């Protein structure tokens, strides 16, 4: 039986990856930070099937211990401060976790079990001010946030350990991937949760930033499958995982409200734009400049050709279905509440 160690196991990706590996017969170990109140997050429903180890990405001694305990054949580094807005408020903490933390994990593997296979969760935010459309593995990087910069360090240190020490170390350059388990601080879940609350009269409107930002959105369940496939190859490499489709935040909003049978009529443009519900005449979408990024990433569009050809990976959940699943889940949650 293969043994896997997952950092960030309680998050969105960690939970879907845990389910996938358990289905494949892995012994799964998950790293958790010690808190005064134990919080299993998105793996609450499978917590009895996961072997938890207390460790921290900023503490290499604890990561060495995690490798000693798990003797993992595969290590998936999903732990991160992953909210772009927070990275502007906490740039040093973001750097410690998302950049230095990757080095700590790689060192722990090199010291304890250098033959273990390593997956690093890189991000499309590394492209930032995009230099080519679509973005592929050879597109130059131009990050536009402390998060993107820190992730770029993690990406390059992974490549350096692969080339310098001969370690099987891969990076998945994953474009935006969402799900019903996404945190409510992220714009997609903020939208779908607001739709449900507006539908049930629990909330009057949702305040958003740039509606014209374009993203390449997929479902996390599809993307963790790509992570696993990367570590099953003969040779370690880096791969873009994306849908090759770009959608605006506005499109996400429109599909989400439509699924809840709420029709929006748009008024104004830019920071003055509002979305009014035709049925009630009330404003349900309002633009607030405070949600604009200091340095905006306008367009992300990934080319997954390499992942499709080499890994045999294909996304199964399309954009409209992704939004529908998220809205349906939030409507169920808010109905219960």
């Amino acid at each position: 039986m293969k043994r896997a160690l997952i950092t960030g196991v309680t998050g969105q990706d960690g939970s879907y990856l845990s389910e996938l590996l358990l289905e494949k017969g892995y012994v799964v170990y998950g790293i958790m930070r010690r808190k005064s109140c134990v919080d299993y997050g998105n793996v609450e429903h499978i917590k009895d099937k996961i072997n938890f180890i207390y460790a921290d990405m900023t503490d290499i001694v604890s990561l060495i211990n995690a490798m000693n305990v798990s003797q993992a054949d595969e290590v998936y580094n999903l732990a991160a401060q992953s909210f772009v807005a927070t990275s502007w408020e906490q740039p040093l903490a973001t750097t410690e976790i998302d950049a230095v933390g990757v080095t700590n994990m790689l060192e722990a593997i090199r010291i304890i079990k250098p033959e273990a296979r390593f997956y690093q969760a890189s991000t499309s935010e590394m492209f930032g001010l995009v230099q080519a459309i679509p973005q592929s593995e050879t597109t130059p990087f131009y990050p536009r946030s402390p998060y993107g910069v820190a992730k770029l360090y993690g990406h390059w240190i992974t490549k350096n350990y692969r080339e310098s020490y001969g370690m099987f170390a891969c990076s998945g350059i994953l474009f935006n991937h969402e799900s019903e388990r996404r945190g409510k601080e992220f714009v997609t879940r903020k939208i779908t949760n607001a739709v449900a609350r507006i539908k049930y009269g629990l909330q009057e409107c949702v305040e958003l930033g740039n509606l014209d930002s374009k993203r390449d959105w997929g479902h996390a369940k599809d993307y963790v499958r790509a992570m696993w496939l990367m570590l099953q190859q003969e040779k370690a490499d880096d791969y873009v995982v994306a849908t090759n489709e770009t959608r605006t935040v506005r499109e996400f909003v429109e599909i989400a409200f439509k699924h809840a049978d709420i029709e929006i009529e748009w008024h104004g443009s830019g920071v003055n734009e509002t979305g009014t519900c035709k049925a009630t005449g009330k404003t349900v979408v309002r633009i607030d400049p405070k949600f604009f990024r200091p340095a905006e990433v306008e367009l992300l569009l990934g080319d997954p050709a390499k992942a499709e050809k080499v890994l045999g990976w294909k996304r199964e959940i399309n954009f409209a279905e992704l939004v529908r699943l998220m809205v349906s889940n939030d409507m169920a949650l808010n109905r219960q509440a």
Side-chain angles (χ1 to χ4, degrees):
M1 295 175 70
K2 283 188 178 180
R3 302 160 77 90
L5 176 64
I6 304 173
T7 73
V9 70
T10 62
Q12 170 188 256
D13 292 5
S15 65
Y16 284 114
L17 180 60
S18 296
E19 290 172 346
L20 176 67
L21 297 179
L22 288 169
E23 287 172 6
K24 293 183 178 297
Y26 280 64
V27 177
V28 176
Y29 291 82
I31 284 180
M32 288 181 67
R33 284 183 296 168
R34 188 176 291 279
K35 300 177 182 178
S36 56
C37 294
V38 178
D39 180 9
Y40 293 102
N42 287 305
V43 292
E44 176 72 34
H45 63 298
I46 51 172
K47 64 183 181 183
D48 295 334
K49 299 179 181 179
I50 297 172
N51 303 285
F52 293 99
I53 302 170
Y54 286 112
D56 192 292
M57 297 303 294
T58 63
D59 180 4
I60 190 171
V61 175
S62 69
L63 297 178
I64 289 173
N65 177 63
M67 281 302 299
N68 256 323
V69 172
S70 66
Q71 288 297 310
D73 302 298
E74 298 174 5
V75 178
Y76 296 86
N77 184 37
L78 311 183
Q81 191 300 100
S82 57
F83 191 40
V84 174
T86 299
S87 78
W88 287 103
E89 298 166 0
Q90 301 178 17
L92 297 182
T94 300
T95 301
E96 284 293 324
I97 299 166
D98 296 8
V100 179
V102 183
T103 313
N104 288 338
M105 191 71 252
L106 284 164
E107 271 295 284
I109 294 169
R110 188 177 72 86
I111 292 167
I112 301 301
K113 194 174 181 180
E115 69 273 20
R117 297 188 168 203
F118 176 75
Y119 171 83
Q120 166 60 16
S122 290
T123 171
S124 58
E125 289 285 336
M126 299 187 307
F127 293 117
L129 186 62
V130 298
Q131 304 298 294
I133 300 172
Q135 295 90 53
S136 71
E137 293 81 3
T138 59
T139 303
F141 298 116
Y142 197 137
R144 300 268 280 173
S145 67
Y147 170 71
V149 172
K151 278 291 193 175
L152 185 53
Y153 175 94
H155 179 81
W156 277 108
I157 200 66
T158 298
K159 189 184 290 283
N160 272 260
Y161 269 66
R162 178 170 75 222
E163 295 176 353
S164 300
Y165 296 119
M167 293 172 62
F168 194 105
C170 299
S171 285
I173 307 173
L174 272 57
F175 279 63
N176 293 68
H177 48 291
E178 317 296 325
S179 77
E180 306 90 301
R181 301 176 188 176
R182 192 54 137 160
K184 292 179 182 177
E185 69 273 22
F186 291 88
V187 67
T188 50
R189 185 73 193 287
K190 179 180 179 180
I191 292 166
T192 61
N193 186 58
V195 167
R197 290 178 59 81
I198 290 169
K199 179 71 174 180
Y200 295 128
L202 302 172
Q203 184 172 324
E204 287 195 351
C205 73
V206 57
E207 295 182 336
L208 300 172
N210 187 1
L211 288 178
D212 296 320
S213 290
K214 296 178 180 179
R215 295 291 183 269
D216 183 324
W217 273 304
H219 196 290
K221 194 170 185 179
D222 284 337
Y223 285 38
V224 299
R225 188 162 32 85
M227 298 176 190
W228 176 78
L229 285 168
M230 288 179 210
L231 298 197
Q232 312 313 308
Q233 305 305 306
E234 290 185 10
K235 179 184 176 183
D237 208 346
D238 305 325
Y239 299 86
V240 163
V241 181
T243 71
N244 201 28
E245 294 178 0
T246 188
R247 308 278 185 162
T248 63
V249 175
R250 184 194 308 274
E251 287 179 85
F252 196 105
V253 169
E254 289 175 334
I255 292 175
F257 275 98
K258 184 177 181 180
H259 183 62
D261 293 322
I262 301 173
E263 190 174 357
I264 300 176
E265 187 173 80
W266 296 97
H267 302 277
S269 61
V271 296
N272 299 315
E273 187 153 27
T274 61
T276 301
C277 174
K278 283 189 175 182
T280 64
K282 290 184 178 179
T283 298
V284 294
V285 180
R286 184 181 299 125
I287 305 306
D288 191 325
K290 73 181 180 183
F291 294 114
F292 281 67
R293 295 183 180 185
E296 186 61 72
V297 174
E298 297 288 352
L299 170 62
L300 291 175
L301 175 64
D303 179 3
K306 181 179 174 181
E308 292 177 350
K309 181 180 179 180
V310 178
L311 305 179
W313 176 83
K314 282 277 189 183
R315 64 107 176 238
E316 296 177 355
I317 302 171
N318 64 33
F319 178 71
E321 178 68 3
L322 162 67
V323 180
R324 187 193 69 78
L325 287 169
M326 292 180 67
V327 172
S328 295
N329 181 70
D330 278 324
M331 287 183 71
L333 290 175
N334 281 282
R335 190 183 303 120
Q336 293 170 6

